[in-house]
């Protein structure tokens, strides 16, 4: 018993000692470890997850959770620098004295860094390569669209709201003429981004995809940033500093190319270029059609950029395009069969500077020059046109807080167009000895534009709302015109995945400068005007899968209309109503791609129209189905199915023989009273993606264009007495087989 | 009669006992091999040791030879094969890559079809395809949509599998911006993986400690890419505080940052 008591006494002693040691050690721990905890949120008190919080030059730190809270322990003593870091936000640094402190409670506010140039409010009808620019159309989409020849414009034509009026790459946006859509490269306007321009439009763009960093396209309701455009905007940003040396060589039946990315000084200086020679002879030789070619279309094209990064945010970029093309095609007209000879030369150079000033203001400037010269010859037509554009543009972006941003800027543009040569006096007599009007005129336009726009999220505290309100003022000094265009976009995020938007805006644009020619135009023409109303619903499941439905109404005012006395007046008008729908993403059986459908009803009374009727771009149904299926890691099968209602045209109903002219003179029916057959086309492409040897890439492709050889007509020619119609097919629209390869080093 | 029945019963019971003991010892053996495979894998990755990686492969191979339906071993095997792909790319060894590529694809498909570890299987398969893109960049055209789909499925099946976010982060980090890459998205994905590892990972297959180390190493690289050296250093130092011998960080990544800072 005594022994037991003794043992118990020993045990209690041991327990006491252990407990004491425990208390001591806890005390020591409490003394050596400091707990740092708190919350991290943005300027609107929204909790920020995934923020890294840490003590500078140590491993003590953590990541904030979904609710923005954080907690970690440190044994560091004395003064420390606590850093909170998150991409897109300014680094937060706070000095804290940890001496004798066991708990630190912090409330950290992160301020968004102005370096991020995201669109805060994406307007309706927007597409872009970045997710912050609208529905995503990636470079991969452009490169792998069958039949698109990796051309930006041809790929964009598969989006809803762009009508299939011809095989050309020109963008017919929601019933608008191609001149109603402006192309901007690094802030500078480019009015002729095409090769092989003729009366059928340019076939391809001369902007090679390999030099593009990002693009943004809007088919309506766009920001006040963009002026002098009635229907659409395509904004292209070219590549910045190349990071590594890359060479790319391509060869196909249609072209040969060489491209390179060449860093000169790491993260400082670099250049890139893409030089291309197009030659269509092999295609026509293989697929037929050479009989129509006197001089098969060929072109040379070089694009390149030189980039100097002079500071962390400051960058100077010189971007240039040099292009020329030539073609000679047999043309059949009722009164004359001859050769259309067309050629063009294009030179564009732009110097762009971008930087952040006063730490908060993003500034971009661009100074550009573009000279475009074209010669068209057919019978009596012999016209030499030179278009020169000088422009300067300045854009500012100022982030007031996370939910409020101001965009502002101004632009100056001088445009000179010289016409020299003969144009036919009568549109039905183009014979070499026919009556002609000699033109020798220089038209000049000078424009200054200024804009300001406010973009806001969670407007007036209403969660999920968004607003973009802007206004721009444009003043043409010569010819003297000015206008004010307000623009508005309201939106609401219904939930994380879906949103609705409403866009409204007034848009002005000066008519084609040719209509201002004193000889056959009216120097007093006013600017054309449209008002856009767009309702949009968008469902974005994730980056890969999205759906968009849009309804729009566009009203046209002040359109130029033929006038027997003053050549043109401004009493033309019109409208375009429509519905656009697109689903882009995954389909069953591992197929990816997109389906887009656009319905449009558009009428106009303008130019030489004899009454208010269907616009020449009224193509009510436009369907594009682009699908890609990966057969295995190396092979991809692509299909591009297109269907569109035939476009309207004005038929000849009879003719009368003219003794004076010694030809038959056609009598036309009412404007656009006829309609071409529906447009149908299926392109198939099989591509091999692999390697030739280690580190190099190899692409080999074979493409069948219009594989079912559907007859697509873009015009009619007539027998000399107009008694019989003959179909005119686009020479790039027939069934064709194209193959080629591309090697990347 | 009764005694015959009694003897038979004894015999059956003895046999059952012996068999169960055998099964028990086989299970024990499998567990030992599995643990040893995991240990070899972890050490191989930390110390960048190819021989240990081969040893891990060997351990998993032994289990699968005896029991082809052992999914834990199958996962371990695919994970090691995936690491061999990474190793072959670092060494520019095409034959090593080809040796493991097809087999890892077949094994990953087997794991996914078993349906039990969908998230783990799909994340690894996405990672294997990502290696293929690294070896042959043009295959991005055919594989990137597959990878995105696999990772979305993996996240849906198990939102707390850190591997899904590591692989997605690597994709975002390595893909050029023009084709959908984004450092911001990469950082967010690596941070998600870090958080999962710190809080409550929900996968019996994934080696959380390695996933934690790997997410921190990638997080550091993503920060370094945008010249945020403080954050990069923190991520590297944190990784070293967990595993001081983490050779990739210790000898390559951290010194690279320190050199850049000096310049």
């Amino acid at each position: 018993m005594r022994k037991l008591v003794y043992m118990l006494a020993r045990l209690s002693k041991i327990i006491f000692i252990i407990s004491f040691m425990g208390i001591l050690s806890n005390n020591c721990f409490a003394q050596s470890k400091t707990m740092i905890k708190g919350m991290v949120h943005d300027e609107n008190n929204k909790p920020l997850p995934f923020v890294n919080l840490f003590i500078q030059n140590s491993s003590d730190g953590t990541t904030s959770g979904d609710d923005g809270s954080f907690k970690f322990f440190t044994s560091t003593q004395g003064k420390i620098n606590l850093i909170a870091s998150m991409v897109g936000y300014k680094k937060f640094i706070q000095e804290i004295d940890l001496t004798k402190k066991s708990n630190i409670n912090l409330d950290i506010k992160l301020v968004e860094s102005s370096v991020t140039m995201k669109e805060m409010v994406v307007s309706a009808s927007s597409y872009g390569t970045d997710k912050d620019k609208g529905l995503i159309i990636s470079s991969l989409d452009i490169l792998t669209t069958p039949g698109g020849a990796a051309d930006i414009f041809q790929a964009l034509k598969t989006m809803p709201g762009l009508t299939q009026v011809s095989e050309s790459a020109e963008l017919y946006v929601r019933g608008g003429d191609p001149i109603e859509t402006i192309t901007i490269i690094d802030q500078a306007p480019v009015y002729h981004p095409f090769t092989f321009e003729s009366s059928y439009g340019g076939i391809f763009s001369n902007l090679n995809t390999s030099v593009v960093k990002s693009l943004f396209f809007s088919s309506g309701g766009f920001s006040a940033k963009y002026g002098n455009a009635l229907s659409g905007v395509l904004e292209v940003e070219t590549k910045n500093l190349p990071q590594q040396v890359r060479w790319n060589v391509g060869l196909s039946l249609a072209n040969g190319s060489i491209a390179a990315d060449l860093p000169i000084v790491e993260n400082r200086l670099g250049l890139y270029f893409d030089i291309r020679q197009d030659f269509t002879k092999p295609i026509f030789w293989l697929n037929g059609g050479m009989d129509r070619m006197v001089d098969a279309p060929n072109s040379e094209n070089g694009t390149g950029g030189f980039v100097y990064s002079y500071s962390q945010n400051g960058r100077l970029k010189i971007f240039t395009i040099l292009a020329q093309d030539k073609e000679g095609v047999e043309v059949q007209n009722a009164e004359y069969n001859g050769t259309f000879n067309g050629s063009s030369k294009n030179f564009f150079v732009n110097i762009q500077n971008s930087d952040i000033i006063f730490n908060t203001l993003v500034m971009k400037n661009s100074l550009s020059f573009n000279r475009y010269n074209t010669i068209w010859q057919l019978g009596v037509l012999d016209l030499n046109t030179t278009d020169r554009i000088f422009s300067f543009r300045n854009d500012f972006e100022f982030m007031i807080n996370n939910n409020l941003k101001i965009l502002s800027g101004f632009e100056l543009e001088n445009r000179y167009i010289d016409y020299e040569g003969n144009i036919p006096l009568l549109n039905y007599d183009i014979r070499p000895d026919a009556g002609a009007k000699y033109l020798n005129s220089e038209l000049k336009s000078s424009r200054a534009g200024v804009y300001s726009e406010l973009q806001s999220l969670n407007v007036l505290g209403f969660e999920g709302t968004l607003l973009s309100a802007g206004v721009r003022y444009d003043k043409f000094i010569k010819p003297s015109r000015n206008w004010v265009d307000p623009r508005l976009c309201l939106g609401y995020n219904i939930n994380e995945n879906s949103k609705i938007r409403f866009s409204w805006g007034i848009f002005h644009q000066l008519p084609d400068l040719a209509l201002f020619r004193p000889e056959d135009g009216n120097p007093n023409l006013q600017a054309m005007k449209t008002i856009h109303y767009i309702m949009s619903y968008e469902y974005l499941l994730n980056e890969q899968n999205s759906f968009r439905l849009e309804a729009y109404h566009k009203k046209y005012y002040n359109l130029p209309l033929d006038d027997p006395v003053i050549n043109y007046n401004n009493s033309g008008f019109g409208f375009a109503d429509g519905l656009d729908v697109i689903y882009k993403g995954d389909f069953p059986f591992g197929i990816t791609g997109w389906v887009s459908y656009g319905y449009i009803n558009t009428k106009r009374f303008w130019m030489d129209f004899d009454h208010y009727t269907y616009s020449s771009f009224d193509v009510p149904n436009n369907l594009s189905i682009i699908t890609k299926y990966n057969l295995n890691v190396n092979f991809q099968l692509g299909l591009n199915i297109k269907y569109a209602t035939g476009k309207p045209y004005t038929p000849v109903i009879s003719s009368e023989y003219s003794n004076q002219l010694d030809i038959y003179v056609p009598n036309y029916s009412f404007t656009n009273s006829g309609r071409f057959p529906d447009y149908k086309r299926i392109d198939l492409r099989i591509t091999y993606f692999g390697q030739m040897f280690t580190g190099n890439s190899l692409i080999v492709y074979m493409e069948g264009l219009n594989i079912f050889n559907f007859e697509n007509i873009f015009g009619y020619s007539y027998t000399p007495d107009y008694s019989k119609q003959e179909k005119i097919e686009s020479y790039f629209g027939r069934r064709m087989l194209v193959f080629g390869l591309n090697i990347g080093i | 009669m009764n005694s015959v029945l009694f003897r038979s019963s004894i015999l059956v019971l003895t046999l059952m006992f012996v068999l169960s003991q055998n099964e028990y010892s086989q299970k024990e053996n499998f567990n030992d091999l599995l643990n040893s495979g995991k240990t070899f894998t972890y050490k191989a990755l930390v110390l960048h040791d190819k021989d240990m990686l081969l040893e891990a492969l060997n351990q998993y191979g032994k289990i699968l030879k005896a029991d082809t339906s052992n999914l834990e071993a199958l996962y371990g095997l695919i994970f090691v094969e995936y690491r061999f792909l990474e190793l072959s790319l670092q060494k520019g060894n095409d034959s090593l890559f080809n040796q493991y590529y097809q087999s890892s694809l077949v094994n990953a498909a087997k794991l996914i079809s078993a349906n039990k570890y969908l998230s783990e299987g799909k994340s690894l398969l996405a990672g294997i395809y990502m290696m293929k893109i690294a070896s042959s960049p043009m295959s991005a055209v055919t594989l990137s949509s597959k990878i995105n789909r696999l990772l979305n499925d993996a996240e849906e099946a198990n939102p707390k599998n850190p591997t899904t976010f590591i692989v997605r982060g690597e994709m975002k980090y390595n893909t050029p911006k023009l084709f959908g890459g984004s450092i911001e998205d990469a950082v967010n994905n690596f941070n998600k993986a870090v958080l999962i590892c710190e809080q409550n990972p929900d996968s019996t297959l994934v080696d959380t400690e390695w996933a934690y180390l790997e997410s921190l190493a990638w997080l550091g690289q993503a920060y370094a890419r945008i010249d945020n050296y403080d954050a990069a250093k923190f991520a590297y130092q944190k990784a070293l505080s967990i595993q001081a011998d983490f050779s990739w960080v210790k000898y390559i990544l951290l010194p690279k940052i320190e050199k850049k800072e000096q310049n």
Side-chain angles (χ1 to χ4, degrees), chain B:
Chain B
M1 183 67 189
N2 273 348
S3 72
V4 172
L5 199 68
F6 178 73
R7 271 184 223 158
S8 306
S9 303
I10 294 285
L11 189 70
V12 168
L13 281 171
T14 313
L15 256 173
M16 279 172 70
F17 178 74
V18 170
L19 280 175
S20 73
Q21 280 300 305
N22 190 32
E23 200 177 311
Y24 177 76
S25 71
Q26 199 180 20
K27 261 189 186 168
E28 274 280 278
N29 192 26
F30 280 180
N31 279 340
D32 288 347
L33 286 170
L34 213 54
N35 286 334
S36 144
K38 279 181 186 173
T39 311
F40 275 122
T41 309
Y42 177 81
K43 281 187 177 169
L45 295 173
V46 166
L47 303 171
H48 200 68
D49 189 321
K50 187 186 164 190
D51 293 336
M52 282 199 203
L53 210 53
L54 272 171
E55 198 48 54
L57 202 70
N58 196 22
Q59 308 293 312
Y60 294 127
K62 276 181 195 166
I63 304 174
L64 289 167
K65 202 172 174 187
D67 177 11
T68 50
S69 64
N70 191 316
L71 298 180
E72 287 78 10
L74 184 62
Y75 175 84
L77 182 82
I78 304 162
F79 188 77
V80 174
E81 287 177 326
Y82 167 54
R83 294 298 161 176
F84 266 114
L85 296 178
E86 201 174 47
L87 195 72
S88 64
L89 288 172
Q90 286 163 9
K91 295 189 184 293
N93 187 337
D94 281 353
S95 59
L96 189 68
F97 187 91
N98 295 331
Q99 186 187 336
Y100 290 104
Y101 180 64
Q102 283 308 330
S103 134
S104 62
L105 283 183
V106 172
N107 289 329
K110 214 187 280 178
L111 183 68
I112 292 166
S113 67
N115 240 1
K116 193 176 171 188
Y117 297 112
L118 268 182
S119 177
E120 290 82 351
K122 289 194 172 185
S123 296
L124 274 192
L125 184 57
I128 293 162
Y129 283 140
M130 191 175 66
M131 291 299 146
K132 179 69 184 169
I133 293 177
S135 108
S136 167
M138 282 324 296
S139 58
V141 180
T142 54
L143 292 179
S144 52
S145 60
K146 261 187 188 174
I147 293 173
N148 288 327
R149 216 174 313 166
L150 283 165
L151 292 173
N152 290 343
D153 290 353
E155 189 181 350
E156 202 181 313
N158 179 3
K160 287 180 178 171
N161 174 9
T163 316
T164 311
F165 300 101
I166 297 173
V167 175
R168 190 183 282 144
E170 285 183 59
M171 270 297 283
K172 290 286 177 186
Y173 175 87
N174 287 311
T175 308
K177 192 172 181 283
L178 192 63
F179 294 97
S182 153
I183 291 297
E184 186 179 348
D185 288 351
V187 166
N188 285 344
N189 275 285
F190 295 136
N191 264 325
K192 244 182 218 179
V194 166
L195 266 182
I196 290 171
C197 293
E198 283 176 353
Q199 292 168 352
N200 46 351
D202 183 17
S203 174
T204 49
L205 296 182
V206 175
D207 181 343
T208 310
E209 189 166 321
W210 169 250
Y212 194 23
L213 291 176
E214 193 179 24
S215 358
L216 286 166
W218 277 108
L219 181 65
Q221 286 188 89
Y223 272 128
R225 172 81 67 87
I226 50 171
D227 298 337
N228 188 344
Y229 299 133
D230 278 327
K233 254 167 72 178
F234 156 68
Y236 295 151
Q237 282 167 347
K238 181 137 190 162
L240 290 176
S241 74
I242 297 156
Q243 176 49 264
D245 296 325
F246 190 7
S247 60
W248 185 29
V249 168
K250 192 175 176 180
Y251 300 114
I252 300 170
L253 299 179
L254 189 59
K256 205 166 152 187
I257 286 289
E258 286 167 344
K259 199 177 164 190
K260 272 194 175 177
E261 267 191 326
Q262 280 166 10
N263 292 335

Side-chain angles (χ1 to χ4, degrees), chain A residues 39-54:
Chain A
M39 288 286 297
V40 55
H41 49 79
D42 66 11
E43 288 168 292
N44 297 296
N45 284 328
K46 199 176 148 193
L48 287 175
F50 312 129
V51 177
N52 290 108
L53 300 117
F54 54 93

Side-chain angles (χ1 to χ4, degrees), chain A residues 183-394:
Chain A
T183 301
I184 296 167
I185 299 176
D186 293 336
Q187 298 178 276
V190 177
Y191 292 100
H192 304 276
F194 305 106
T195 52
F196 307 133
E197 273 197 36
S198 69
S199 52
Y200 292 112
I203 300 294
F204 298 114
S205 71
N206 47 31
L207 189 68
N208 300 327
T209 315
S210 72
V211 299
V212 173
K213 175 176 171 262
S214 71
L215 65 90
F216 162 79
F217 174 70
S218 172
S219 52
F222 40 87
S223 150
K225 247 163 99 171
Y226 310 106
N228 201 32
L230 283 188
S231 290
V233 171
L234 172 64
E235 188 177 18
V236 177
E237 196 183 341
T238 60
K239 274 199 309 203
N240 290 331
L241 261 185
Q243 294 298 320
Q244 50 183 304
V245 177
R246 273 198 196 127
W247 286 90
N248 200 291
V249 181
L251 186 68
S252 78
L253 274 189
N255 60 49
S257 67
I258 180 161
D261 280 359
L262 302 169
I264 299 167
V265 179
E266 195 187 0
N267 295 326
R268 265 290 150 211
L269 201 65
L271 68 92
Y272 54 84
F273 63 81
D274 189 330
I275 299 167
R276 193 165 295 244
Q277 166 78 54
D278 290 316
F279 36 77
T280 54
K281 228 177 202 170
I283 291 190
F284 292 121
W285 171 79
L286 182 72
N287 299 287
M290 266 310 280
D291 50 320
R292 283 178 64 189
M293 301 295 155
V294 176
D295 190 358
N298 64 83
S299 71
E300 291 89 38
N301 176 317
T303 46
F306 181 80
V307 188
Y308 172 51
S309 205
Y310 57 82
S311 69
Q312 196 181 348
N313 299 311
R315 189 178 54 235
L316 196 70
K317 179 160 49 175
I318 302 171
F319 181 78
T320 185
I321 299 176
L322 270 163
Q324 59 176 12
D325 62 67
K326 206 176 155 198
E327 61 183 325
V329 187
E330 284 292 342
V331 173
Q332 290 182 340
N333 277 0
E335 75 288 2
Y336 171 71
N337 293 341
T339 304
F340 170 79
N341 284 306
S343 65
S344 75
K345 283 179 183 169
N346 203 345
F347 170 63
F348 167 77
V349 62
N350 182 43
I351 303 169
Q352 190 192 40
N353 168 245
S354 53
D355 209 339
I356 295 174
I357 50 173
F358 311 123
N359 282 330
T360 51
L361 204 63
V362 180
M363 184 187 67
K364 281 184 167 184
N365 303 302
S366 128
L367 181 68
S368 77
F369 170 67
N370 187 193
R371 185 183 185 278
Y372 175 80
N373 171 259
T374 182
I375 298 169
W376 288 0
Q377 291 169 323
L378 174 64
V380 70
L381 171 74
D382 186 359
L383 187 63
N384 189 330
T385 309
T386 304
D387 194 353
R388 284 169 295 143
I389 302 117
F390 299 87
S391 84
F392 175 76
R393 185 177 172 117
N394 180 291

